Amino acid sequence: MAVYTHVPAEEIDAFLTRYDAGRLVSAKGIAEGVENSNYLLETTGADGNGHRYILTLYEKRVDEADLPFFMDLLDHLGARGCLVPRFIADTDGKRLQQLGGRPACLIEFLTGISVTEPTPAQARACGVALGELHRAAQGFAGERRNALDKDGWHALAARCGDDFDQIAPGLGARVAEELAFLDAHWPADLPRSVIHADLFPDNVLMLGDEVTGLIDFYFSCTDIRAYDLAVTHSAWCFSNDGATWYGDRATAIGQGYAAAHGLTDAERAAFPILCRGAALRFLLTRAYDWINTPADALVTRKDPLAYLRRMDFYAKADPAELLGA
Amino acid sequence: MAVYTHVPAEEIDAFLTRYDAGRLVSAKGIAEGVENSNYLLETTGADGNGHRYILTLYEKRVDEADLPFFMDLLDHLGARGCLVPRFIADTDGKRLQQLGGRPACLIEFLTGISVTEPTPAQARACGVALGELHRAAQGFAGERRNALDKDGWHALAARCGDDFDQIAPGLGARVAEELAFLDAHWPADLPRSVIHADLFPDNVLMLGDEVTGLIDFYFSCTDIRAYDLAVTHSAWCFSNDGATWYGDRATAIGQGYAAAHGLTDAERAAFPILCRGAALRFLLTRAYDWINTPADALVTRKDPLAYLRRMDFYAKADPAELLGA
């Protein structure tokens, strides 16, 4: 959420000569996304009409070896009508470059703003966009393992170990209990596909009630398709602190997704379990970051308990209420 | 150099309705400037053609009481042809607002990039722009004390106290010696005016060899006019680490400034002293920040010794070489 690698504007301007993008007229480091460095660029444009791009330099959290997967995925989705930011090829057809000592890519800029308090109409549009994304992903040949799947949660919980209880007394035991429950009940036979896996409101650009872009695919991977809806549900249907549940948003997301893609009976039946898994996944990554970030660091630590509250909610929720009719 | 106050996009959109600016279509937090929170906004524009703005939320380093001075100054300069970002008035004529619990202003966005390795032609353009700024500042009635004047340096040095030598052995004695020298030699009768006081390459936007904007006036104040040229000189004419001096840039800045504004014999004679003062001013603020920022903090500490090297250079320099003919 900062600019980690500073690239002189002269170097960015020289970098742009590889592309049919015009000359640089503005470059602003932006505070966005996962741990990459991002610049919002403005150029004269190939046609002299001005054009904007995102320049991303990949820091340690994104593995360079994964970039072709993300590039091919966004090309596949974009070609099928999804509003996703495509990686731009230079005049030699090359999309992956080096800049400032980092892997770097020039990426489409999409307009739209990220809502913080989604209305039901906006939540429905998000559900529709996720359904359309899953529909467009059919036939995509690429695969990428979800490093944050159930095995990943076990590994992360083990690394947090005794430190969970620094965050809240009894948290370690609660996590162990939930992992045991999910081991016993995690669905085995649901349809799998490429999923976004991180579709928070931050990663959905909107204008009014219309989705104008889905961004930040750096967690995208191959996993249970309906788990993507569970992640989205856990991100969109609560207050930030997880204390308040917004049933109207949940119904809207569920209906939007079902209208655009459809949900099988088996997916609906497993949905509360998938939501518990989604809540645990974010609880665990937040707990790990909490334990490993000094309290006085200038990075904002996200509260793991906001996802404990969601997990507790899903454990007790009436399954019929989670997705509406 | 980060976004300290996060404002939901819905609130920014609502904020914009006070202005004749159209509706929000994009908002990106940008990593820029002094310790304020800045967003680069794109709107539909009053005319539907799209428009960009900077939204600034003032954090603790800028005193709200100083904002009218900055606003009036930029209006004065802008009205006289300087390329400076003006504060935008809402439909009631109000420029200072509150947003996210902070004083907040909507400001003109200017294109241009900040060079890192200025060519002589770019350095000359910077000198011309500073000279034109000083010419345009004539007749501006506002005054603001320079908190970082010589008295301010003494106060800052006292606060660093014994900690100077944590940075480099003997630094405390060197600072005391320089302060004593400046007390004895600081010029008393040079012309004063409003000055920018922080015209680093970061704060000059350029396209090619043309200046397209002078930004970040939050250190602007009333002081010796030629001291502004000394600050600019110390910022533009060395490698970042202060180890390499670029005489061609210095000659170019001096000639550009002299052509646009003129320099009196008294200003030329005092220039080496003014440069020693400028170098000490940045040495002191960097030393203070260095001492008061934990080494493991994620904020990049700027090296105070880069300005000790400049100060040493100016103390030994041939005065005739500093500004060219």
Side-chain angles (χ1 to χ4, degrees), chain B residues 124-146:
Chain B
R124 188 177 202 285
C126 167
V128 168
L130 184 64
E132 290 172 346
L133 179 76
H134 288 171
R135 195 167 281 284
Q138 285 171 23
F140 178 64
E143 295 214 356
R144 180 170 178 259
R145 201 200 131 217
N146 185 2

Side-chain angles (χ1 to χ4, degrees), chain B residues 200-243:
Chain B
F200 277 65
D202 275 0
N203 293 331
V204 179
L205 300 176
M206 308 193 86
L207 288 177
D209 295 340
E210 300 215 2
V211 173
T212 58
L214 303 177
I215 61 173
D216 213 343
F217 278 77
Y218 299 107
F219 286 104
S220 65
C221 56
T222 313
D223 207 333
I224 294 171
R225 194 171 56 212
Y227 172 67
D228 212 7
L229 182 60
V231 166
T232 307
H233 194 273
S234 73
W236 281 69
C237 304
F238 296 84
S239 57
N240 260 344
D241 65 2

